Amino acid sequence: MKEIVLDTETTGISVKEGHRIVEIGCVELDNLIPTGKKFHCYLNPERKVSEKAFEVHGYTDEFLSKQKKFKEIVEDFKSFINGKRLIIHNAEFDLGHLNNELNIFGKKKLSNEIIDTLVLARDKFPGSPVSLDALCKRYRVDNSKRTQHTALVDCDLLAKVYINLIDQKEPTLNFQSQDQAINEGKNININYFKKVISPTEDEIKKHKEYLKYNLKKNYFN
């Protein structure tokens, strides 16, 4: 089954205050394995970035003013995610902003099936920190590249966290090297093994006597 791990960055938190999307990142999974297909774009939000949002992602007004507008990429974006389940951390936030952008340009809201990894994490670890950084730490996912919040980096991290959250071993694409390692392993001479020692009749007799006279009887017997 194909899924899309999705993340956005914005000019601020609330769409009611007129905040807009400045970045969209998507990573495609097929049966939990990254296909290598990605959708990524920076966007001109046609408004200024709030100070708090700038501290999070670091995108300046000058940089964003040179990017495409949402209406220029909307069809490519919709085509990329069409018919695929969306994996989002704190889906309410991202969907709120995406549907706001679609509404601005007269498009229908997203109707994809959604899995919110924030909800999964809260159900699995009640009372524990469930931010993306906290989950990376819990599952030993290297997030050293996450010096700031950027959509594609967060998508790559979330894909690994998602696989762990649903108790699936993280898949690998390096099947050829795995097969080679298995074949090479067949030719290795094993020089160490545990020796099986059978007890003597005298040892068996002493063991039975020990059980009979030294161990307490089961309370329920």
Side-chain angles (χ1 to χ4, degrees):
M1 178 178 183
K2 289 187 178 180
E3 300 170 302
I4 300 293
V5 182
L6 184 149
D7 185 57
T8 65
E9 299 298 337
T10 66
T11 60
I13 294 176
S14 176
V15 295
K16 293 180 180 180
E17 296 176 0
H19 287 296
R20 304 281 300 276
I21 294 176
V22 300
E23 184 185 18
I24 300 175
C26 299
V27 173
E28 186 183 69
L29 305 179
D30 189 358
N31 291 322
L32 302 179
I33 299 176
T35 64
K37 293 181 180 179
K38 299 180 180 183
F39 177 90
H40 178 253
C41 64
Y42 299 107
L43 296 171
N44 178 357
E46 302 181 86
R47 61 153 292 158
K48 289 187 176 181
V49 175
S50 68
E51 290 184 10
K52 290 186 177 180
F54 176 74
E55 291 174 1
V56 171
H57 53 61
Y59 301 141
T60 66
D61 293 327
E62 181 182 3
F63 169 74
L64 294 172
S65 67
K66 301 174 184 177
Q67 309 305 319
K68 292 181 178 181
K69 297 176 182 179
F70 184 83
K71 64 181 179 182
E72 298 178 70
I73 61 89
V74 62
E75 294 304 325
D76 289 339
F77 168 67
K78 289 177 64 179
S79 176
F80 188 81
I81 67 171
N82 184 44
K84 300 167 188 174
R85 178 190 289 162
L86 302 183
I87 312 301
I88 310 174
H89 198 68
N90 191 11
E92 183 179 358
F93 176 83
D94 296 271
L95 290 177
H97 279 276
L98 286 167
N99 285 328
N100 178 62
E101 296 287 345
L102 291 166
N103 181 61
I104 289 173
F105 297 105
K107 305 291 183 180
K108 293 182 180 179
K109 291 183 178 181
L110 297 179
S111 58
N112 303 62
E113 180 184 353
I114 307 295
I115 289 184
D116 190 339
T117 51
L118 182 64
V119 174
L120 290 180
R122 283 175 175 168
D123 288 344
K124 194 166 187 176
F125 309 113
S128 298
V130 288
S131 67
L132 183 56
D133 283 330
L135 293 171
C136 285
K137 184 177 181 180
R138 176 181 288 275
Y139 290 121
R140 298 180 181 179
V141 174
D142 181 11
N143 65 343
S144 58
K145 293 181 180 179
R146 198 183 191 227
T147 54
Q148 287 184 309
H149 292 211
T150 57
L152 268 186
V153 170
D154 285 4
C155 283
D156 287 331
L157 294 175
L158 183 58
K160 296 174 182 176
V161 165
Y162 169 58
I163 291 166
N164 282 280
L165 275 173
I166 60 175
D167 296 319
Q168 297 293 321
K169 185 178 179 182
E170 190 172 339
T172 177
L173 298 177
N174 195 11
F175 298 124
Q176 185 174 356
S177 60
Q178 282 187 333
D179 293 340
Q180 183 179 355
I182 292 171
N183 291 331
E184 290 176 354
K186 293 178 180 178
N187 298 323
I188 297 175
N189 292 323
I190 301 175
N191 297 318
Y192 172 79
F193 57 91
K194 292 182 179 181
K195 185 177 180 180
V196 178
I197 301 175
S198 299
T200 63
E201 290 185 8
D202 184 54
E203 287 172 334
I204 294 173
K205 180 181 178 181
K206 289 181 179 179
H207 178 65
K208 289 181 178 180
E209 290 176 353
Y210 174 80
L211 294 177
K212 183 177 181 180
Y213 297 109
N214 292 283
L215 292 185
K216 294 181 179 179
K217 291 186 177 181
N218 189 304
Y219 177 81
F220 296 100
N221 286 345

